[in-house]
Amino acid sequence: MKKFYITTPIYYPSNKLTLGNCYTTVLCDSIARFHRALGYDVFFLTGTDEHGQKIAKIASAKNMKEIDYLNEIVADTKKLWELLNISYDKFIRTTDDYHVKAVQKIFNKLYENGDIYKATYKGKYCVPCESFWSEEQLVDGKCPDCGREVIDADEECYFFKLSKYEDRLKKLYEEGRNFLLPESRANEMINNFFSKGLKDLCVSRKTVKWGIPVEFDKEQTIYVWVDALSNYISALGYLSDDDSLFKKFWPADVHVVGKEIVRFHSIIWPAILMSLGLPLPKLIFGHGWLIFNGGKLSKSKENEKKEVIDPRILSARYTSDAVRNFLIGEISFGQDGPYSQELFLNSFNGILANKVGNISSRLIGMICKYSDGVISSDIKTLPEDEIFINKIKELKQDSIEKIKQLKPTLSYKSALKIIDECNLYIDSNKPWEIVKQENGTIRVNTILYYACQAMLEAYSILDAFLPENICKVLKIFNIENVKIDENACCNFDIDNVKVEKIQPLFARLDIGKELQELDQIAND
Ligand code: MSP
């Protein structure tokens, strides 16, 4: 069986997760679900990145122990993933004991390989934020987080010999094997980083206490990236007593990450893996940002319209599928895209109510009206039906191809096109007229039969994208645990299935009224 290992970044539990954070997870979940339906053995990893000074500061401001604070946020995160139907196979926390042990062993290995050495770190330090910055990270010479003055820092720490791997890393990009996608991100790496030469990287800190201690030098704490990036292998049991998952799933098929952390995944992570002598992930995909009021984060500025952006509220009012539909369908994977309440609601009506929900209530309504609620197998296939089936097959294959190419937005759209074709087929065949004709029964049966087959093809795919609602209709046709057969089309076993009228899966919204209510929630 073909395996598929996909990961999201691990999230900073510095606050409750936002709709922006949901973006990576929802997209990865849909890709993972689709691969499961195609018969892959899937491992889908997500989790939380729990160390660092920032977390320690937040906990102390709340008068809490770090771990107590983290437990609260992690519980909230898991609840959110449940709400959004995220089907992860493992949730890793970097405070988990097995991860801590693996990171220490990884650090030791890098050291034993001669890739880690002690030296003095010189850079900039923001006292209130307790954060180190390099000259290039400063914004107008000031701390990029709080905008205050920074001071010169001078501290002993361990460095990783990133420069040693420069040539091998460069080759990775020159080989043209699409290690990093979209292509524009690879060009960014080449122009912004390789052109300046890679500098060795500070990988431990003396002043940071909330983190994993270096085993052979307890005064030093392993800093950020060696800890965080290692989650992708520690989660599989790398360097533990049971590394069977590691043997089975490594290398990852894809690490999906936001564009601001592409550098860490496409330069630092492969260098660490090279040092460890491990195979590299097959692909790093750097997606774009969901833009709120012109920025990545949800902090709205003065005078700007406040919007409801809490995925918990949106999901409770409109279902998790509405949140997923927006993130998958309205933002082209790889690019930035804006969020607004209006866009969200219009997408709900345009895609979910008018297309996805409408087709099943329409078709089932017709089966009830023209065929006593039974899908008859007494049919006669005409050449025009064959043409229709072939079109559906093409769209289905296109949707499958697009998901394999990691183009979920396009894959989703191809599945939606199956619904468009299905509506066209019904409209042009007009079963409501044929039913009145003498001897029209077999033709009506045939139209309803193939329209139903096509709808089920679309729904089998859409189940990966909209897992809360689609399954309700699939169940009526006795389809549970969807399996997508890449080579077949329109051959669901639906003969004589009995159906009853259903409410539309997504009722049309009154956008004006919803906007008013959302505005009120946002301003409360
Ligand atoms: N902890 C690091 C990742 C370490 S992975 C070894 C981190 N965490 S994060 O919580 O800040 O971000 C997690 C993910 O959420 C990132 O991929 C980031 O790009 C994504 N998003 C956060 N806000 C976003 C948007 N507004 N839009 C899309 N994704 C964004 O980085």
Side-chain angles (χ1 to χ4, degrees), residues 135-202:
E135 200 74 62
E136 300 96 72
Q137 285 174 311
L138 301 180
V139 176
D140 299 329
K142 305 219 165 85
C143 170
D145 261 7
C146 71
R148 280 178 279 208
E149 295 292 338
V150 289
I151 57 167
D152 289 326
D154 197 318
E155 183 187 308
E156 261 212 324
C157 67
Y158 287 100
F159 280 81
F160 173 67
K161 283 189 190 163
L162 189 60
S163 56
K164 174 175 155 188
Y165 293 95
E166 182 164 339
D167 288 344
R168 279 178 69 188
L169 288 166
K170 254 193 203 157
K171 264 201 201 119
L172 199 60
Y173 288 87
E174 287 162 3
E175 271 170 7
R177 73 162 174 102
N178 286 341
F179 173 67
L180 169 61
L181 285 177
E183 237 169 79
S184 56
R185 309 246 183 263
N187 295 334
E188 240 172 75
M189 290 304 120
I190 294 164
N191 297 334
N192 297 351
F193 300 107
F194 286 111
S195 65
K196 292 181 194 148
L198 296 183
K199 288 198 200 104
D200 290 351
L201 183 76
C202 175

Side-chain angles (χ1 to χ4, degrees), residues 3-9 24 27-32 35 42-46 177-182 231-232 249-257 265 269 280-287 333 403-408:
K3 62 100 198 164
F4 186 73
Y5 178 28
I6 181 168
T7 67
T8 72
T24 328
L27 270 294
C28 284
D29 180 66
S30 299
I31 298 167
H35 279 79
V42 172
F43 197 82
F44 170 27
L45 177 71
T46 190
R177 73 162 174 102
N178 286 341
F179 173 67
L180 169 61
L181 285 177
N231 92 87
Y232 300 130
F249 284 106
W250 191 257
D253 290 83
V254 58
H255 294 313
V256 180
V257 302
H265 285 80
W269 181 224
L280 306 186
K282 292 182 197 156
L283 175 67
I284 311 292
F285 190 95
H287 67 68
F333 196 50
I403 206 75
K404 287 186 183 170
Q405 295 167 351
L406 235 66
K407 294 179 179 162

Side-chain angles (χ1 to χ4, degrees), residues 9-12 20-21 49 228 232 258 260-261 287-290 296:
I10 43 173
Y11 294 87
Y12 281 132
N21 296 123
D49 184 1
Y232 300 130
E260 82 285 13
I261 52 174
H287 67 68
W289 287 341
L290 187 56
K296 173 191 165 216

